């Protein structure tokens, strides 16, 4: 007998049953006269998730990578300079996508486990008196290392330098799970995808764009077609799309947004923090460390855990998968073999987290890690028991 596999990668995440049922629909007419009465309120409610009044939400068939491409091609021209940092595999891929579009990318290389280097950004922006830099990139949550960066601080350094560059944020593994404030932080392009905090299948790039960034599209010389904001805006204003939308995913997105708003965004963030705290307690009880180098960078959606030097983290992930039907995240690129990841985002509660910890603990021990079985689970249990639902609400 094979029970359902336990999915604890940092996306795609588990889909709650009611959201899966909301997707399980016959195809519908995306040009029906009443289709707009479904999509227009959805666009409006998505703005609440991004915490924006003035931004515009775009929904493209695609994934987070498509969202990166949409943001860049609609606002920038070949040869434009962008400031980026490489703090893990996803920030690396984003910088590389910019280069492949013919942008000039100034990359700050940081040790993996560190956040976006705000002070270096401040120096570079202050020195850029001619405003050659057209966009500044921040990976809010680097999924490869379990590091959350300070977007508000990057906004501050842009303002202090009086720099007009656009602020681009990759919120693929943060938005709808970790606090994100489009308007308050002056974010110009925020990119997300359906398969993480939104608890949906992969298939949608969800992008929010400020009016300032939208104004750039007239001069933006990069080629675009599928991701063209103008085409989308012309159709979206009446609730339609320039090409066939993924209607079932849109229906699922409606259920997802309702679920998030019903729980309350602040409660969603508090729940993620609470579950992440439990995971961190377990990691320390195992005698291991997080890849994130400082507490201020600890991610509430994914923990990247460094294994002892004599242990291969890829073997741990393989063992968890084949022996315990537990999917954990592998270490990517620079940290391959050195870290494994527990995704703790989306539709998740304490008991589910304990399942992942129990499986990870066994796989770690099986692969030669010297730890006491049950120690991580007990540490998380101890933590969870001390913080009740009432405290959680109060903390939110
Ligand atoms: C932070 C981050 N950015 C971008 C991406 C790429 O998104 P996708 O795989 O949906 O294209 C991911 C994927 O995991 C991610 O974690």
């Amino acid at each position: 007998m094979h029970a359902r596999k336990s999915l604890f990668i940092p996306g795609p995440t588990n889909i709650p049953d009611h959201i899966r049922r909301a997707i399980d629909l016959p195809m519908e007419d995306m040009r029906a006269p009443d289709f707009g009465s479904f999509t227009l309120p959805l666009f409006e409610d998505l703005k609440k998730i991004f915490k924006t009044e003035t931004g515009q939400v775009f929904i493209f068939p695609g994934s987070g990578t498509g969202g990166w491409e949409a943001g860049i091609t609609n606002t920038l021209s070949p040869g434009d300079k962008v400031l980026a940092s490489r703090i893990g595999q996803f920030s690396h891929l984003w910088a590389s996508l910019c280069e492949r579009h013919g942008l000039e990318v100034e990359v700050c290389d940081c040790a993996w486990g560190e956040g976006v280097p705000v002070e270096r950004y401040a120096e570079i922006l202050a020195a850029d008196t001619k405003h050659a830099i057209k966009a500044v990139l921040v990976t809010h949550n680097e999924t490869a290392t379990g590091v959350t960066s300070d977007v508000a601080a990057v906004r501050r350094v842009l303002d202090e330098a009086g720099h007009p560059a656009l602020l681009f944020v990759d919120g693929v593994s943060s938005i709808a799970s970790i606090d994100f404030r489009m308007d308050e932080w002056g974010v110009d392009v925020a990119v997300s995808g359906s398969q993480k905090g939104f608890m949906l299948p992969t298939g949608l790039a969800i992008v929010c764009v400020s009016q300032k960034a939208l104004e750039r599209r007239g001069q933006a010389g990069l080629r675009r077609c599928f991701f063209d904001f103008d085409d989308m805006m012309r159709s979206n204003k009446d609730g339609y799309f320039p090409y066939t939308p993924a209607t079932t995913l849109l229906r699922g997105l409606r259920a997802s947004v309702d679920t998030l708003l019903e729980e309350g965004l602040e409660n969603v963030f508090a729940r993620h923090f609470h579950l992440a705290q439990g995971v961190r307690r377990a990691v320390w009880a195992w005698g291991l460390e997080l890849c994130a180098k400082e507490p201020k960078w600890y991610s509430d959606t994914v923990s990247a855990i460094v294994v002892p030097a004599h242990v291969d983290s890829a073997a741990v992930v393989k063992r968890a998968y084949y022996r315990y039907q537990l999917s954990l995240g592998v270490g990517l690129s620079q940290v391959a073999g050195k870290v494994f990841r527990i995704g703790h985002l989306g539709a998740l509660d304490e008991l589910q987290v304990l399942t992942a910890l129990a499986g990870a603990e066994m796989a770690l021990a099986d692969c030669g890690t010297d730890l006491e079985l049950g120690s991580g689970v007990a540490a998380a249990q101890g933590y969870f028991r001390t913080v009740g639902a009432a405290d959680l609400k109060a903390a939110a």
Side-chain angles (χ1 to χ4, degrees):
M1 205 278 284
H2 279 288
R4 194 198 291 178
K5 283 195 166 61
S6 299
L7 188 66
F8 283 88
I9 55 173
T13 62
N14 295 293
I15 306 176
D17 290 343
H18 74 280
I19 294 185
R20 211 162 47 204
R21 282 195 297 273
I23 300 167
D24 184 9
L25 290 172
M27 283 297 110
E28 65 183 295
D29 175 5
M30 75 290 186
R31 296 189 213 284
D34 60 354
F35 195 62
S37 64
F38 158 59
T39 51
L40 292 172
L42 177 61
F43 281 116
E44 272 313 300
D45 286 340
L46 275 166
K47 286 163 65 174
K48 297 178 190 159
I49 307 290
F50 285 90
K51 294 194 179 169
T52 185
E53 299 275 335
T54 55
Q56 173 140 2
V57 176
F58 293 88
I59 309 169
F60 293 100
S63 70
T65 306
W68 282 341
E69 186 156 328
I72 278 153
T73 54
N74 282 280
T75 57
L76 299 171
S77 298
D80 274 356
K81 190 166 176 184
V82 306
L83 176 61
S85 46
R86 207 159 14 221
I87 57 171
Q89 181 64 3
F90 293 101
S91 43
H92 158 70
L93 289 173
W94 195 13
S96 156
L97 180 136
C98 290
E99 276 163 5
R100 290 164 70 177
H101 276 91
L103 299 172
E104 185 194 330
V105 188
E106 176 160 1
V107 182
C108 298
D109 263 305
C110 304
W112 288 26
E114 292 180 2
V116 167
V118 178
E119 277 155 29
R120 272 164 73 192
Y121 273 20
E123 285 161 22
I124 292 166
L125 289 168
D128 182 34
T129 51
K130 296 218 167 91
H131 300 160
I133 296 169
K134 301 299 179 209
V136 175
L137 274 48
V138 176
T139 300
H140 188 200
N141 190 76
E142 175 48 82
T143 320
T145 55
V147 162
T148 302
S149 286
D150 190 347
V151 180
V154 176
R155 173 78 266 160
R156 266 197 305 280
V157 302
L158 272 160
D159 290 348
E160 279 161 18
H163 203 294
L166 297 174
L167 176 56
F168 284 33
V169 176
D170 174 340
V172 173
S173 60
S174 63
I175 289 168
S177 311
I178 296 176
D179 194 14
F180 176 80
R181 307 176 192 191
M182 180 94 186
D183 286 359
E184 192 182 318
W185 297 344
V187 175
D188 292 299
V189 177
V191 175
S192 192
S194 48
Q195 77 276 21
K196 299 194 195 258
F198 286 100
M199 306 168 284
L200 289 167
T202 318
L204 299 176
I206 306 165
V207 182
C208 193
V209 184
S210 72
Q211 293 304 318
K212 177 179 163 186
L214 278 182
E215 281 163 18
R216 301 277 170 98
R217 71 190 191 283
Q219 314 120 8
L222 282 175
R223 292 291 183 90
R224 54 195 181 272
C225 172
F226 185 78
F227 290 118
D228 194 86
F229 285 168
D230 270 316
D231 291 349
M232 269 290 173
M233 287 164 78
R234 264 194 299 276
S235 302
N236 281 177
K237 74 175 173 16
D238 302 316
Y240 295 94
F241 291 82
Y243 40 76
T244 316
T247 51
T248 50
L249 290 180
L250 292 178
R251 294 287 173 182
L253 185 59
R254 177 71 263 174
S256 154
V257 170
D258 287 344
T259 303
L260 290 164
L261 295 178
E262 212 167 279
E263 183 175 355
L265 279 183
E266 306 313 313
N267 292 330
V268 171
F269 304 150
R271 177 169 53 81
H272 280 81
F273 171 73
H274 176 67
L275 298 175
Q277 287 284 76
V279 172
R280 294 191 273 264
R281 295 294 188 288
V283 172
W284 295 323
W286 293 331
L288 302 179
E289 292 295 335
L290 293 165
C291 180
K293 291 190 190 304
E294 289 184 37
K296 66 178 179 185
W297 289 321
Y298 291 168
S299 166
D300 288 343
T301 58
V302 51
S303 294
I305 299 152
V306 182
V307 297
H310 68 279
V311 173
D312 175 9
S313 69
V316 175
V317 173
K318 220 180 244 180
R319 177 75 181 167
Y321 183 80
Y322 285 117
R323 175 64 184 83
Y324 305 113
Q325 287 76 52
L326 167 67
S327 276
L328 300 168
V330 291
L332 296 170
S333 179
Q334 242 187 59
V335 289
K338 298 178 186 157
V339 313
F340 75 93
R341 294 171 299 152
I342 300 179
H344 35 81
L345 74 162
L348 211 59
D349 62 20
E350 292 165 336
L351 292 189
Q352 288 169 296
V353 166
L354 290 172
T355 299
L357 296 176
E361 183 162 278
M362 289 191 284
L364 278 165
D366 295 347
C367 294
T369 311
D370 182 20
L371 56 77
E372 193 185 327
L373 280 180
S375 59
V377 171
Q381 285 172 322
Y383 172 75
F384 289 155
R385 288 183 68 228
T386 63
V387 186
D391 302 316
L392 255 180
K393 273 234 149 69

